[in-house]
Amino acid sequence: MRYGHFDDQNREYIISQPDTPLPWINYLGCESYFGLISNTAGGYSFYRDARLRRLSRYRYNNAPFDVGGRYLYLRDNETEKFWSPSWQPTRTKLDKYECRHGMGYTIIGSTANKIEAQTTYFVPLGETLEIWKCKITNHRKKPAKLSLFSSIEFCLWDAQDDSTNFQRNFSTGQVEIVDGVIYHKTEYRERRNHFAYFACSEKLAGYDTQRDTFLGAYRSWDNPAAVERGKSFNSVACGWAPHGSHHVKVNLKPGQTKEIIFVLGYHENAGDKKFSPPDSQTINKTTVKPVITKYLDGKNVVAAFQKLKENWDNLLGTYQVTSPDIHANRMVNIWNAYQCMATFNMSRSASFYESGIGRGLGFRDSNQDLLGFVHMVPSRARERILDLSATQLKSGGAFHQYQPLTKRGNHELGSNFNDDPHWLILGVGAYIKETGDWGILDEQVQFENEPGSEQPLYEHLRRSFNYTLERLGPHGLPLIGRADWNDCLNLNCFSDTPGQSFQTTTNKEGKVAESVFIAGLFVLASKELATIAVKRGLPDEAKYYLAEAAKMEKVIYKHGWDGEWFIRAYNDFGQPIGSKVCKEGKIFIESQGMCIMAGIGLDDGKAKLTLDSVNKHLATKHGIVLQQPAFTKYYIEMGEISSYPPGYKENAGIFCHNNPWIIIAETMVGNGNRAFDYYTRINPSAREKIGDLHRCEPYVYAQMIAGKDAPTFGEAKNSWLTGTAAWNYFTITQWILGIRTGFDGLIVDPVIPAKWKGFTVTRKFRGNTYVIEVKNPNGQQRGVKKLVVDGREIAGNVLPACAPQAEPIRVVAVLEG
Ligand code: GLC
Ligand code: GLC
């Protein structure tokens, strides 16, 4: 069953019924002010950091779903009936309903009682505020006398504290109400210099700022007392739960439409200009007032919305494809790229599945996120790389996470995830390939954010490399530490205490357990680093990197090869994991994908053999599972991976993040048919038709689809914030369609289904626009035989980067045959 449909022309997904299986969300804002918004207006907003600067409250894991949002209520003052035009929270039956999730905006429209309401929610570029523009139309034959109420519940900034520290928080809340604007200023009197505001374009009939007055005791958002009686209480919050609600009277003639604008925003004042007059406790509104005035004016709202659209035209214009597959086109051209922006901004912090409290930006995650983002805003990718590397430890290791607000490493979680450092090499490589900006390597970057410890970024990459060499285990493979890419393969944890963190508890010294995955990653990263070293005029150093990579490759063959696939790891007893000798977990996906991506097994047939094993043991109709057979009980020597019931998450779930590694590996052996088949199995758009099973949004990837061992095989979970976004984008654009960034130019190397007759990609790259037409007249899967650039045939398959030209560069590539 479908709950809506794609509108590719307008780059929207249109949801046509409000009770989707799960809240289907979208993100507002892509710079510093962000919001989550569901298809029924649920969600919340924050400035930069979802934990530390939360503007509005949300109730995770609530029943019913999705409580806390940007709510509006319409009330017919004659019949006294009221309803929510976004369906939630009153859940009154609507005669028409439609939610359009677009690029950075959501429009929720509905009709009830012949009154149509359509609200557009978005964050203007360059601002720290959001707009709710509500258009109300009277479709009745008689005049309508209506009331419109707004409602937002303020969060007391630190979302963690806000949901736990009630003995204090019930006494700190403060607001100001001036000229119809509600200012939320809890803690502004002491150490904060920021506040929130909620404004309305209309003259108010009343307001409420104390939640429990607005709602009434023992009531909820589905029948607030103020709405029910049709009149605000003009409550002024002091302590308890500050809230923002405006009451506006809307009288409409038959056919008449009225537009009402609400602005919810975040504002900071300079420390010495907090109050006006200076010796008072009143917020100084000098700098915020002009902003509010600007966006309560409909003309400015229209202009800001237009700018947002243009910005997305521009961002998405970097890579556009027309292929025979509608699902690939849609994901590449619109939704997958869009999701990459969300993962770049949010990392794994704030979604319907991530509370925004627990996790900062992951070191490995953010580096991988760059793969799908760098082409859109290279300057922000650059900044991210420098921020990440400044948290790198002197040892070359990395803080596993850092907090976006402070840009400091997270000490609670610490380090010792031994794959982390190598992702920096790959992230930097991806950035240079996109931009040709070799200068980034000379940037002076601190270690551990310590002034005086600055070294060129290139030195950071060296230390990433050395980190592994200095931490080899008994077989000469890299020690795993707390975990490698698989956060749940905790081989030094040995936890038997309920509630202990599998990631941070290490009860073993960690001198035995090794990772074949890190070994593969090391080979891949070392080859990348060697290429970079050559370009820096350090050929000897490059040779050294390659020699170490070759040594590691030998070790992988000797101790990491199981006969038909790569072993996954060695545990603390020196026994193999992911080997035919194991009873459960005989074969894992990660080492297969990573070793082949590193080029191992390409020359001797082992890569193909491995991929056939993956196909035989791991591939299912819903995607490739992480390992088989699933763990049926808890193994203390394995850690969290065996804590999940079979088929979920890392225990044999379809962990969509690493399916693309296998897909890339398939392209590397030239198997375009299988690569695209695997790609399609997890493509959310292709899964739209099984919406009842899939349940998550059909426009973005989810982290996991339940594996074949689970009773819910095929059900997706944890949508939006996952490395799946960047890896799938990278895979389809660079490896299947094969328009790949290289250090010297754009590589044209498609590996496609034999039945495709061709496709066209428009790619903006280093100041030029390339229009690349790939022709496949003889049903090949790979192999560019002929490359014609602006009418001239060139040798090889690289389009060398060149000075910007006025006209697009036209390229025709013909596959062999
Ligand atoms: C989550 C983490 C990521 C990890 C993966 C596998 O997606 O964010 O860092 O690699 O799980 O455990
Ligand atoms: C849990 C999740 C895993 C994630 C990790 C991050 O272990 O299962 O996917 O990477 O938490 O802390």
Side-chain angles (χ1 to χ4, degrees), residues 348 359 364-365 485-488 650 655 657 703:
R348 308 297 172 262
R359 301 170 74 179
R364 79 158 83 87
D365 292 344
W485 171 86
N486 190 330
D487 265 335
C488 300
E650 283 87 340
F655 214 90
H657 182 147
Q703 180 198 55

Side-chain angles (χ1 to χ4, degrees), residues 318 375 378 429-438 535 740-747 763-770 798-805 809:
T318 313
H375 66 293
Y431 170 78
I432 299 175
K433 287 176 191 167
E434 180 66 40
T435 58
D437 172 15
W438 290 93
K535 291 276 175 191
R740 185 154 69 245
T741 55
F743 288 112
D744 300 319
L746 259 192
I747 301 161
R763 176 67 155 101
K764 294 194 184 130
F765 179 69
R766 300 198 200 169
N768 277 308
T769 300
Y770 296 80
V798 181
L799 304 167
C802 56
Q805 317 201 350
I809 300 175

Side-chain angles (χ1 to χ4, degrees), residues 615-637:
N615 188 257
K616 186 166 150 200
H617 300 290
L618 300 180
T620 77
K621 62 179 176 180
H622 293 297
I624 309 169
V625 298
L626 194 141
Q627 104 276 9
Q628 278 294 295
F631 298 116
T632 53
K633 60 182 182 96
Y634 177 56
Y635 293 88
I636 194 168
E637 70 277 20

Side-chain angles (χ1 to χ4, degrees), residues 562 565-566 568 577-590 592 613-620 623-632 638 641 645-654 706-710 713:
D562 202 48
W565 58 78
F566 295 95
R568 177 64 177 81
I577 292 172
S579 152
K580 55 181 179 289
V581 306
C582 304
K583 237 179 92 202
E584 301 189 326
K586 287 173 187 290
I587 172 170
F588 279 66
I589 194 170
E590 302 101 305
Q592 323 311 330
S613 302
V614 169
N615 188 257
K616 186 166 150 200
H617 300 290
L618 300 180
T620 77
I624 309 169
V625 298
L626 194 141
Q627 104 276 9
Q628 278 294 295
F631 298 116
T632 53
M638 299 270 216
I641 190 167
Y648 290 123
K649 297 274 290 183
E650 283 87 340
N651 186 13
I654 296 157
K708 59 186 175 185
D709 303 287
F713 180 37

Side-chain angles (χ1 to χ4, degrees), residues 154-172:
F154 292 111
C155 178
L156 309 186
W157 305 116
D158 179 339
Q160 161 97 341
D161 187 75
D162 183 70
S163 55
T164 46
N165 195 9
F166 305 110
Q167 61 77 27
R168 171 178 161 87
N169 295 341
F170 284 167
S171 295
T172 56

Side-chain angles (χ1 to χ4, degrees), residues 450-466:
E450 223 179 81
S453 65
E454 290 81 359
Q455 292 282 335
L457 178 62
Y458 183 70
E459 174 60 23
H460 285 251
L461 305 189
R462 277 184 180 139
R463 293 201 195 175
S464 290
F465 170 87
N466 285 330

